[in-house]
Amino acid sequence: MKQDMIVILDLGSSENTRLAREIRALGVYSEIYPHDITKAELAALPNVKGVILCGGEHRVVDGVEIDVLPEIYDTGLPFMAIDHTKAKCDLQLEAWPDETQLKAFVFDTCKAQANWNMENFIADQVELLRRQIGDRKVLLALSGGVDSSVVAALLIKAIGKQLTCVHVNHGLMRKGESESVIEVFKNQMDANLIYVDASERFLDKLSGVADPEQKRKIIGAEFIRVFEEEARKLEGIDFLAQGTIYPDIVESGTKTAKVVKSHHNVGGLPDDLQFELVEPLKQLFKDEVRACGAALGLPHGMVYRQPFPGPGLGVRCLGAITRERLEAVRESDAILREEFANAGLDKTVWQYFTIVPDFKSVGVKDNARCFEYPVILRAVNTIDAMTATIEDIPWPVLHKITDRILKEVKNVNRVCYDLTPKPCGTIEWE
Ligand code: XMP
C-alpha cells in the first residue's frame, strides 16, 4: 500500500467525516473506525501513522459513556483527542483543531507523508482488486451514474474482460444516456458489456399506474428481475461489484450514531444468487469518486453528471406514464441541459430538469386552438438535497429554452418555471 493513514476513532462526534475530509485535504489518507477497535485490529491496518479520538455529543450511549479500549494506547502510535478529557494522549484539544494544529499533529508528531492522491489510490486498488479476484469473474450493474461508471473503469483497468457489465435500459433514461454508456464502455474501453433494452417491459408494467410510490416500487422490482435474469444466463460469476461510497457506509450507522439510512445499491437479489461483494470506492467521498473517474479517463460529462434518480424520467412524467408525455419530458430535458451547458449553468447549478404533468391547457398554435401539455422547468441548488434553493436563471436563457421547447417538442404548448424552494416543495415533483 502506498499511502500513510491517520485513523479517526468515532466517539460519538457528528463531525467525524469533516475531520476525515480535512485530513485528506492535507494530502494524507484518513479513515473512521468504531471507538472499540482492538489493539490487534488497529495494528493490522496498513501504514497507520497516528490516531485521533473524536468525541462529541453522542458519547453517552444508552446511559453509558463510551470510551476506547485502554490497550490501544500500547500500540506506540501518537494519539490526539478532541473534547475527550480522560484520554491518554500526546495532544488534547478542547476545540476543533485549526489547520495549523492539524498539520502539526499529522506531519510533525505522526510524521505522515502527504502521499494520498488519485494515482496512488488507483494503483493500490488495482493491486487489491487483482489480489481479491484472482482469475475469477465479476458482475456489475452499470447504470451510467457516476459511481457505477467509476467502478466499471477501475475494474476494467484491474481485471479487463473478467468483468461483465450489465446495462439495463428501463426506457426512463435521459436522451442519449444509454448510447453514451455503450460508446464509452463498449467502444472505447472494450468492456464486456451486455446491453438490455427493457423499455417495453417497463412501460407495460407501469401502464395505468399513477401513484408515485407504486411507480418507484415497480421500477425497482422490475430492475432487479431483469438484472437477475441476465445474471442467471452467465456462468462462473463469483463477485458482484457495487458503487458503494464512503458516505453510504458512514451514514448506514456507526456504533454511536443512529442509522440514517441503509444502502443497497442492488438490493433484493434472491438468496440463491450468492456473490461476494467488490466495493472499490467504499473509502471515497463523492468528489474523490469524480477525481478518480477523471484520472481513469472517463469523459467529463459522465464524471460530473448531475444527480439523477433511480426511477429516472418515470417520476418526472407525472401520474400514469404515457409514451407521448415521456417523449416530451425526454426532449425538453435534453433542450434544458443543452442550453444550461451553453450558458455555463451546468457548472453552477446542482440539479436541473423538466417535468410534464398529466393535464392539458388551452393554447394557440398556427392560428388554431390547441389543447396540449405544459413543461415545467426546475433548477435547484443544495448541499445535501435535504433543503434546496432556487437558482436565478438569467431571463434570456429562460426565453431561449422556452422558445426551443415550444418549437421542438411535440404535444407541448406552455412552459413554466418552478420557483418553489425545499421545503416546502421537494426537488422532484413525485
Ligand atoms: P426530493 O424530491 O426528495 O429529492 O427532494 C432529493 C434528491 O433525491 C433524488 N431522488 C431520488 N433518487 N431514487 C433516487 O435514486 C428516488 O426514488 C429518488 N427520488 C428523489 C432527487 O433527484 C434529488 O436529487
Side-chain angles (χ1 to χ4, degrees):
M1 296 292 282
K2 294 193 168 44
Q3 72 249 5
D4 289 349
M5 166 151 76
I6 300 291
V7 164
I8 297 168
L9 294 186
D10 171 21
L11 282 155
S13 170
S14 52
E15 304 278 9
N16 290 317
T17 46
R18 176 179 156 201
L19 187 59
R21 294 193 57 88
E22 286 181 8
I23 296 169
R24 290 190 191 187
L26 299 177
V28 178
Y29 187 58
S30 176
E31 283 184 11
I32 304 163
Y33 284 89
H35 67 279
D36 55 359
I37 189 170
T38 64
K39 182 182 163 189
E41 286 165 343
L42 186 57
L45 296 174
N47 294 7
V48 177
K49 297 290 170 186
V51 180
I52 302 181
L53 315 188
C54 195
E57 62 275 31
H58 304 294
R59 264 200 74 196
V60 178
V61 177
D62 298 331
V64 180
E65 194 181 46
I66 55 167
D67 206 344
V68 297
L69 300 176
E71 64 178 31
I72 64 167
Y73 294 115
D74 301 335
T75 47
L77 290 165
F79 278 79
M80 174 170 113
I82 305 168
D83 184 19
H84 181 297
T85 47
K86 286 189 206 149
K88 291 191 276 176
C89 288
D90 305 77
L91 189 61
Q92 298 260 5
L93 296 178
E94 292 296 315
W96 195 257
D98 61 26
E99 197 181 323
T100 315
Q101 289 170 312
L102 203 54
K103 274 184 174 166
F105 178 70
V106 170
F107 296 119
D108 302 339
T109 312
C110 301
K111 308 265 185 288
Q113 302 280 319
N115 52 11
W116 160 244
N117 58 47
M118 271 312 140
E119 282 63 38
N120 285 349
F121 173 80
I122 291 169
D124 279 350
Q125 285 305 319
V126 165
E127 192 187 317
L128 287 173
L129 287 167
R130 286 182 184 153
R131 220 183 288 160
Q132 182 188 6
I133 296 160
D135 58 2
R136 292 182 286 168
K137 290 185 184 161
V138 183
L139 180 64
L140 168 71
L142 176 58
S143 67
V146 180
D147 303 338
S148 68
S149 298
V150 177
V151 170
L154 196 51
L155 279 162
I156 291 166
K157 188 176 173 77
I159 57 160
K161 295 262 169 146
Q162 284 163 255
L163 171 72
T164 301
C165 303
V166 176
H167 176 70
V168 177
N169 179 358
H170 52 25
L172 306 165
M173 306 288 284
R174 287 175 295 195
K175 191 172 177 174
E177 237 167 8
S178 285
E179 291 81 353
S180 100
V181 168
I182 294 170
E183 170 57 27
V184 169
F185 291 100
K186 200 174 183 90
N187 300 350
Q188 294 176 18
M189 295 192 161
D190 194 26
N192 240 335
L193 174 70
I194 298 173
Y195 171 70
V196 189
D197 183 354
S199 314
E200 290 302 318
R201 193 171 153 164
F202 276 82
L203 288 182
D204 280 354
K205 288 266 174 201
L206 287 163
S207 166
V209 180
D211 176 66
E213 288 316 303
Q214 196 61 28
K215 284 162 70 175
R216 275 195 173 75
K217 277 196 194 121
I218 291 172
I219 296 166
E222 198 58 18
F223 183 87
I224 288 168
R225 218 164 287 141
V226 175
F227 185 72
E228 184 205 322
E229 283 172 18
E230 293 304 319
R232 284 193 197 284
K233 286 185 209 159
L234 300 166
E235 299 209 333
I237 302 270
D238 290 300
F239 298 92
L240 183 70
Q242 292 202 344
T244 315
I245 68 171
Y246 205 43
D248 300 340
I249 295 201
V250 176
E251 285 177 13
S252 289
T254 58
K255 289 186 181 169
T256 57
K258 64 180 185 340
V259 173
V260 181
K261 53 183 168 180
S262 55
H263 281 263
H264 301 282
N265 282 340
V266 188
L269 283 178
D271 287 343
D272 62 334
L273 277 181
Q274 280 179 350
F275 300 111
E276 227 179 285
L277 284 185
V278 175
E279 298 175 299
L281 306 180
K282 67 170 188 263
Q283 254 83 36
L284 298 188
F285 292 102
K286 193 78 182 189
D287 54 326
E288 295 169 337
V289 173
R290 294 189 204 278
C292 180
L296 286 163
L298 288 177
H300 184 274
M302 192 170 257
V303 171
Y304 288 91
R305 178 178 120 129
Q306 55 167 318
F308 186 58
L313 301 180
V315 288
R316 296 175 181 172
C317 181
L318 305 187
I321 297 169
T322 63
R323 282 165 207 269
E324 66 173 8
R325 284 191 306 111
L326 184 59
E327 197 55 21
V329 183
R330 184 174 285 124
E331 292 300 322
S332 58
D333 173 78
I335 292 170
L336 180 77
R337 286 194 283 142
E338 203 176 304
E339 292 305 327
F340 264 45
N342 287 341
L345 290 164
D346 57 333
K347 297 185 185 63
T348 57
V349 182
W350 194 78
Q351 199 174 17
Y352 44 97
F353 54 90
T354 62
I355 299 123
V356 175
D358 52 352
F359 57 78
K360 294 179 175 177
S361 76
V362 176
V364 191
K365 265 188 190 173
D366 304 324
N367 294 322
R369 177 189 185 279
C370 59
F371 191 49
E372 293 177 321
Y373 297 107
V375 164
I376 298 158
L377 312 179
R378 190 122 171 90
V380 299
N381 272 323
T382 179
I383 304 282
D384 56 8
M386 303 298 281
T387 62
T389 54
I390 298 308
E391 177 69 12
D392 276 337
I393 307 298
W395 282 107
V397 178
L398 287 174
H399 281 301
K400 176 95 187 281
I401 292 166
T402 304
D403 275 355
R404 283 196 58 194
I405 290 177
L406 293 178
K407 280 200 192 94
E408 296 172 34
V409 183
K410 287 192 204 113
N411 304 305
V412 169
N413 66 353
R414 202 177 282 274
V415 176
C416 308
Y417 185 42
D418 180 0
L419 287 172
T420 320
K422 176 181 180 177
C424 56
T426 47
I427 294 175
E428 303 288 346
W429 271 50
E430 282 195 337

